[in-house]
Amino acid sequence: MNPIKILQTLRTSLFYTRFNSWYYIKFVFILQAAILFLAFPFLALFFQFMTASLGYDSITDQNILEFLRNPLGLLFAVIFALFALFFIYLELSVLILVAYYHQQQIPFTIREILRKIVRQSKYLLSYQFVFFLLYFALIVPLAGMGLHSELTDGIYIPNFIVNELLKSTSGAILYFSFIIVVIYINIRLLFALPVFLTGEYTIFQAIKRSWVITRWQTWRIITIFVLISLIATAFVFIAIFIFLMPTILTEQLWTPAAPIVAGISLTLSQVFFIVAFTIMPIYIAHTVIFMFLTRENDNLKPMMRHKEKRKHRKSFYITIAVGIIALVTVNGIYLNEVTYSDNTQIIAHRGLKSAGVENSLESLHGAAKIGVDFVEMDVLETKDHQFVVFHDTNLRRLAGINRNVRDMTLAELEQVTIRQDGFTSKIPSLDSYIEHAKKWQVNLNIEIKTHGGESKDFLENFVKTIQKHHVEADYIYQSLDRSIVETLKEKHPLMRVGFIVPLNFGNLVNVDADFIVIEEFSYSASMQEQARARNMDLLVWTITTPEAARKYMLAGVDGIITEIPEQAMKVQDDLRNDQAVSTKLADAIDLLTNN
C-alpha cells in the first residue's frame, strides 16, 4: 500500500473540487436542502408523534429513563434512531460515491448512485446491522472530523458536563482520554464507508479493511485535516475582513451610505458562505476518497480536465440579479433598524472565580464589586438541618476530604478549608452568605440542591431562613428537582422560582414555574418563543466564552448564568454603546458563520 502524501492529497482534492465546482454547488446545495426541508421536518414530526403518543410534552433528563422503560417508548426511540441513521448514511454515501466516480472517471447519474446505495443496504439486513450501528456510534461524537452529515453538526458533549469534568484532575484525564480515543477510532474507521460502498464488502469487513489501510497513517491523516481546518479558518477570517472593511470605511467617510454598503456586504457574505459551506463537504469527500485510493495502490487515475460548457438563458441572469437586489435591500433595512434589546441579566455562576473559591464569600464579594445582576450559588442541607453554600454533595473535590455534606453538622462544615485555583476559603453558612450579599448589595440566584438525605421539613426550613432575612421576593430560586419547584410555586407565590433543565428535546418542558434554566446544548429559538408565550423567562447556562455571551444577548434571552461574568459585562457594555452599522454587520456575519 502506498503511503498517503499530504500535499498531493490537498492539491488533488482541490483540483477535482475546483473543476467541477458549479456542479458541486448545485448538487450539494440540493442535497443539503433536502436534508433541511425533508429529513429534519420528518424527524421532528416523528419525534412529536412518539412523545405525544405516550403523553409526553418533551423528553428531558428527568423523564428519559421512564420513557425508555416503556416498551412502546423504547420501540419509538429505536425507530427514530434508525430513521436518523438512514438519513445520515444516505447523505454521506451520496457524497462519497460522487467523489469516487469523479476521481475514477466513471459516468454516473444520481439515480444510479441511489440504486448503488440501496444495493449495498442488503448487507445491513442481517446481524451485520449491529456493526453498522456501532460504526455510526463511534463516528458521531466527533462527526465534524472528516466525513460528517448535516444531521450530526449539532451533536457534541454538553458544556455543563465538560465543565464539571475539567474541575478535577481525574475528570480532566477522563475527558481528554475519551477525546483522544474517539479521534483515534474516527481516523482508523475513516475508510469504512468508502470500502463498504465501492466494493462487495459487508460492513464488518469494511471496518476491518479500514483498520488495515489506515495502519501507520494516523498522523498523516490528522495532519491533513488539521491543515484543512487551518486553511478554512484563515479564509473565513480574510473573507470577514473583506466584507467588513467597506462598511467601516463608509461610516468614517459618509455615514448615510453605510446601511447600503453594509446591505451589499452582507448579501455578498451570504452568497460566499453558502457557496463555501456547500463546497466544503465535497472537498472533504474528495480528500477521503483520494487517501483511500492512494492506499489501494494502483486505483488512481490521471487527473483530467473536462469542464462542461454551460449555457444559461437571459432569464437566468435576470432572476439572479433581481434576487440579489432584493436581498441587498432587505439586508440594508435590517442592519439599519436592528437594535440590542438590553434585557439580558448577567448571573455569575458560583460567584466571581477570579476572586476566590466558587461559592465562597470572596467570590461573592468579587461578583458584587463588578456589578452583576445576580450571583448564582448552591445550598445543601447539613446533618443538623441547617444550610451551607456548597455545590458538591461530597467534600473531596474542593477540600480533599472524602466526607459527605449530609453526614456533617453546620459547625463542622464551617471549619473546613476549601481550595481552588490558588485560593483558599471556608465553607459559608446560608445565613452568613445572605448577610454578606445584603451588605454588598447584590441579589442572589439560589439553587436548592439535594443529596438524598434531606429532612422531612427541609424545604420549609429553607423558606424560614429566607423569610428571616426578608429576601423572599428579592432573590430568585431554582432547582433541578421538579417537586421543589412546584411546591415553592404553590405555597410561596412571592418567590420567583425556576426549573433547571440540563437536557430538553422537543418542546420546552411543561412545568409550573416563573422561569426555565436551560443548558445551551438544548437551547433553540423555538424554545425561547414558547417561554415567552407562557409568560416565562428563559435563562441559559453555563456560558463560558464572550462569543457565546454575545450570541445569547443578541438573541434576547432573559438571563445568562456565566463562568465569565466580568467578560460578559464588557460584552453587554459594548452592545449598549456600539450601535454602528459595521458592528451589526459583524454580528450578522458571525451568526451566518456559526450556522
Side-chain angles (χ1 to χ4, degrees), residues 336-394:
N336 191 48
E337 294 184 354
V338 66
T339 57
Y340 171 52
S341 60
D342 196 19
N343 65 346
T344 302
Q345 294 182 314
I346 296 176
I347 304 167
H349 188 234
R350 306 180 200 169
L352 183 65
K353 295 175 190 173
S354 60
V357 182
E358 66 179 56
N359 279 324
S360 68
L361 294 178
E362 291 83 1
S363 64
L364 170 66
H365 192 207
K369 284 197 293 186
I370 66 173
V372 297
D373 295 297
F374 287 89
V375 172
E376 185 269 351
M377 35 79 78
D378 310 279
V379 297
L380 285 164
E381 189 183 38
T382 65
K383 181 180 179 180
D384 53 346
H385 312 319
Q386 302 299 310
F387 295 93
V388 288
V389 179
F390 200 71
H391 176 270
D392 300 355
T393 58
N394 187 282

Side-chain angles (χ1 to χ4, degrees), residues 69-107:
R69 286 192 192 104
N70 185 316
L72 186 57
L74 181 60
L75 177 62
F76 276 143
V78 170
I79 294 173
F80 179 86
L82 293 178
F83 277 133
L85 281 176
F86 169 75
F87 288 124
I88 294 171
Y89 165 67
L90 185 64
E91 183 181 1
L92 295 182
S93 298
V94 169
L95 290 171
I96 287 169
L97 287 175
V98 167
Y100 176 78
Y101 287 143
H102 271 156
Q103 290 192 33
Q104 292 294 85
Q105 300 170 30
I106 301 172

Side-chain angles (χ1 to χ4, degrees), residues 125-171:
L125 301 177
S126 67
Y127 71 93
Q128 290 284 332
F129 186 70
V130 174
F131 298 108
F132 179 74
L133 291 177
L134 179 63
Y135 167 72
F136 279 102
L138 291 171
I139 68 169
V140 160
L142 282 179
M145 184 155 190
L147 294 168
H148 70 284
S149 163
E150 289 293 304
L151 288 165
T152 62
D153 280 348
I155 298 176
Y156 61 91
I157 303 172
N159 288 336
F160 76 96
I161 295 177
V162 176
N163 291 339
E164 291 304 316
L165 285 173
L166 295 182
K167 286 175 181 175
S168 65
T169 303
S170 58

Side-chain angles (χ1 to χ4, degrees), residues 430-448:
L430 177 58
D431 285 311
S432 174
Y433 201 90
I434 292 176
E435 287 167 3
H436 282 85
K438 293 174 73 174
K439 173 184 174 182
W440 294 324
Q441 297 182 333
V442 60
N443 289 325
L444 301 180
N445 174 1
I446 302 179
E447 180 175 340
I448 307 166

Side-chain angles (χ1 to χ4, degrees), residues 84-332:
L85 281 176
F86 169 75
F87 288 124
I88 294 171
Y89 165 67
L90 185 64
E91 183 181 1
L92 295 182
S93 298
V94 169
L95 290 171
I96 287 169
L97 287 175
V98 167
Y100 176 78
Y101 287 143
H102 271 156
Q103 290 192 33
Q104 292 294 85
Q105 300 170 30
I106 301 172
F108 67 91
T109 64
I110 297 301
R111 182 176 296 179
E112 289 170 343
I113 284 179
L114 293 176
R115 283 203 200 102
K116 172 69 172 175
I117 293 171
V118 171
R119 281 200 304 270
Q120 287 301 108
S121 299
K122 68 185 179 183
Y123 291 109
L124 305 179
L125 301 177
S126 67
Y127 71 93
Q128 290 284 332
F129 186 70
V130 174
F131 298 108
F132 179 74
L133 291 177
L134 179 63
Y135 167 72
F136 279 102
L138 291 171
I139 68 169
V140 160
L142 282 179
M145 184 155 190
L147 294 168
H148 70 284
S149 163
E150 289 293 304
L151 288 165
T152 62
D153 280 348
I155 298 176
Y156 61 91
I157 303 172
N159 288 336
F160 76 96
I161 295 177
V162 176
N163 291 339
E164 291 304 316
L165 285 173
L166 295 182
K167 286 175 181 175
S168 65
T169 303
S170 58
I173 292 172
L174 177 65
Y175 172 71
F176 288 114
S177 297
F178 171 78
I179 294 298
I180 291 169
V181 168
V182 171
I183 289 175
Y184 181 73
I185 291 174
N186 269 249
I187 294 300
R188 298 304 301 270
L189 299 185
L190 184 63
F191 302 135
L193 209 52
V195 171
F196 177 67
L197 291 168
T198 60
E200 294 298 320
Y201 290 93
T202 67
I203 189 64
F204 178 68
Q205 291 170 336
I207 289 172
K208 287 178 62 179
R209 182 61 183 162
S210 179
W211 201 266
V212 169
I213 60 180
T214 54
R215 185 180 299 155
W216 310 117
Q217 302 298 304
T218 302
W219 286 110
R220 292 173 181 267
I221 295 171
I222 289 176
T223 301
I224 286 171
F225 284 119
V226 167
L227 287 174
I228 290 173
S229 297
L230 291 174
I231 294 169
T233 301
F235 269 110
V236 167
F237 277 114
I238 293 169
I240 291 173
F241 175 79
I242 292 172
F243 293 131
L244 285 177
M245 280 309 297
T247 303
I248 293 172
L249 292 174
T250 305
E251 282 181 325
Q252 301 297 320
L253 301 174
W254 189 24
T255 304
I260 299 172
V261 175
I264 295 171
S265 295
L266 180 56
T267 302
L268 293 175
S269 69
Q270 288 167 335
V271 173
F272 172 82
F273 285 115
I274 287 172
V275 170
F277 294 153
T278 53
I279 284 292
M280 200 61 189
I282 199 69
Y283 178 77
I284 295 295
H286 270 302
T287 301
V288 172
I289 288 299
F290 186 76
M291 288 190 291
F292 164 61
L293 293 177
T294 298
R295 293 296 283 165
E296 294 287 43
N297 293 317
D298 298 325
N299 291 331
L300 292 171
K301 303 289 183 182
M303 295 185 291
M304 300 288 291
R305 302 189 180 200
H306 48 81
K307 280 181 90 173
E308 297 179 6
K309 293 184 178 180
R310 292 175 290 276
K311 293 182 179 180
H312 298 300
R313 295 180 180 179
K314 187 177 181 180
S315 59
F316 171 82
Y317 296 105
I318 292 174
T319 302
I320 294 295
V322 170
I324 290 176
I325 291 170
L327 194 54
V328 167
T329 304
V330 170
N331 285 335

